[in-house]
């Protein structure tokens, strides 16, 4: 945070007994439901989440405290501090503190990001016009359609974010909206009613708790392993057949691999071979997922011929690498360079039932040309338009586009797809340059892309 928005003096002022006790009550609203359940201390959160997020969470509670009035005179810590110590602060710092004292935490959707300069924020809770936010460092990593729980305050002619900013996943957003609907709406309400600023101000702890429940759930989730001790990550290695290569020739060569057991004309099980002289040297330290044949032989993967492609399925990166090398050595010039689709356990679980394509984000190896990758994604998403999507209530995108409620869910889904594509770690990766804007037009909702 810039020095002109430094709150260190105000934080020192918090140590006074008359304010510290009040702060402890606010702090408990934000973290008590989490800490009490696990009989934990706030320091334990830092060990799980890291110092950065622990400091951010503490800042969320502190900024909420700055907005509250208590018994006595003065009733607000910012008013008291500025009256006694304000002369030590710059005009901009005083304006920032005063703005925080009346601020409201809300959930915003990010768009029109100008790295190092600004972004546009649309309030997802209150019915208000989008605003331009001046921001330097955060805009270097923000992506289109990110969701942020934040306090946006006007300071000397500019809208700026405070320090307590939490990135929200779709799951955390759903938890938050369910909580707000329960607090401000009728029981089982489908839509959040109009919420006044003072009402939302009083519900600031719900943002912290929604973020924590979602984040801790993901952090604490145990990692599944296979019998090799590798983390379960599903790989589909898709080998295009070379021009002129026949399926019969492919099958003949695959049958020369001792570890490949043919189940039918186009399907093989890849079986584990017991090393000579003993057992395996590596084993899972935790309970492992295993697939076996009827005779108990462990299955490492599956190989299947589908049209002009040979598919290798394996449940870890190590197995996919071994299987790919084995197939390429055996088939040689009968197959071309493969495409690799990777999905985590979480993504696979989210797809069932109903084919939740909202989480089916493919990771395709960077050595493939941009054109090849984009053509693959075009085909993939074109098929998705006619498949049930969990995020759309298990309706297909084309079905969702036929109703007003469905179109709103469709917009959220398309924004999610765009956002996940934009978050590729390398900007030169072919996935990062792929645009799903054609899907908006195909589904007739391009006018809602804002």
């Amino acid at each position: 945070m810039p020095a002109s928005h430094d709150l260190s003096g105000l934080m020192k002022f918090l140590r006074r007994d008359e304010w510290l006790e009040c702060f402890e009550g606010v702090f408990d609203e934000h973290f008590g439901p989490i800490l009490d359940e696990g009989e934990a201390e706030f320091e334990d959160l830092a060990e799980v989440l890291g110092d950065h997020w622990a400091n951010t969470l503490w800042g969320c509670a502190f900024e909420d405290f700055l907005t509250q009035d208590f018994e006595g005179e003065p009733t607000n810590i910012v008013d008291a501090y500025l009256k006694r110590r304000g002369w030590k602060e710059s005009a901009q710092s005083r304006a920032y503190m005063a703005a925080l004292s009346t601020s409201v935490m809300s959930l915003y959707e990010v768009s029109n990001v100008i790295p190092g300069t600004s972004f546009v924020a649309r309030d997802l809770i209150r019915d208000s016009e989008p605003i331009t936010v001046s921001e330097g460092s955060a805009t270097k990593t923000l992506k289109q359609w990110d969701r942020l729980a934040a306090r946006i305050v006007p300071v000397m002619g500019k809208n700026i974010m405070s320090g307590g900013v939490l990135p929200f996943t779709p799951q955390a957003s759903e938890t938050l909206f369910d909580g707000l609907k329960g607090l401000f709406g009728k029981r089982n309400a489908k839509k959040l009613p109009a919420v006044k600023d003072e009402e939302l101000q009083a519900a600031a702890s719900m943002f912290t708790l929604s973020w924590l429940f979602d984040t801790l759930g993901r952090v604490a989730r145990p990692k599944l392993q296979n019998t090799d001790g590798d983390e379960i990550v599903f790989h589909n290695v898709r080998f295009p057949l070379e021009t002129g290569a026949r399926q019969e020739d492919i099958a003949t060569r695959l049958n020369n691999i001792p570890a490949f057991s043919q189940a039918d004309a186009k399907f093989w099980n890849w079986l584990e071979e017991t090393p000579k002289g003993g057992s395996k040297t590596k084993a899972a330290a935790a309970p492992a997922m295993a697939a076996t044949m009827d005779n108990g032989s462990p299955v490492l993967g599956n190989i299947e011929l589908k049209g002009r492609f040979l598919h290798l399925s394996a449940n870890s990166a190590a197995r996919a690498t071994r299987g790919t090398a084995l197939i390429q050595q055996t088939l040689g010039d009968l197959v071309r360079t493969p495409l690799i689709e990777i999905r985590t356990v979480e993504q696979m679980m989210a797809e069932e039932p109903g084919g939740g394509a909202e989480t089916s984000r493919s990771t395709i190896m960077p050595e493939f040309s941009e054109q090849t990758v984009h053509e693959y994604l075009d085909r993939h998403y074109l098929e998705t338009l006619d498949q049930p999507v969990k995020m759309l209530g298990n309706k297909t995108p084309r079905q969702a586009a036929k109703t007003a409620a469905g179109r709103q869910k469709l917009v959220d889904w398309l924004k999610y797809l765009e956002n996940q594509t934009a978050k590729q770690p390398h900007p030169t990766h072919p996935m990062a340059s792929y645009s799903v804007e054609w899907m908006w037009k195909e589904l007739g909702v391009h006018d809602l892309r804002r």
Side-chain angles (χ1 to χ4, degrees), residues 2 4-5 89-98 155-156 158 160:
S4 57
H5 302 149
E89 303 286 349
S90 67
Q92 192 165 7
S93 287
R94 291 196 300 271
Y96 178 59
M97 293 178 191
V155 177
M156 294 187 167
K158 292 183 178 181
I160 64 172

Side-chain angles (χ1 to χ4, degrees), residues 16 35 119 134 172 309 326 370 395 422 439 442:
R16 292 172 172 259
L35 300 179
F119 67 93
S134 297
F309 292 90
L326 195 58
E370 184 175 79
K395 293 183 178 180
M439 294 173 68
E442 177 77 15

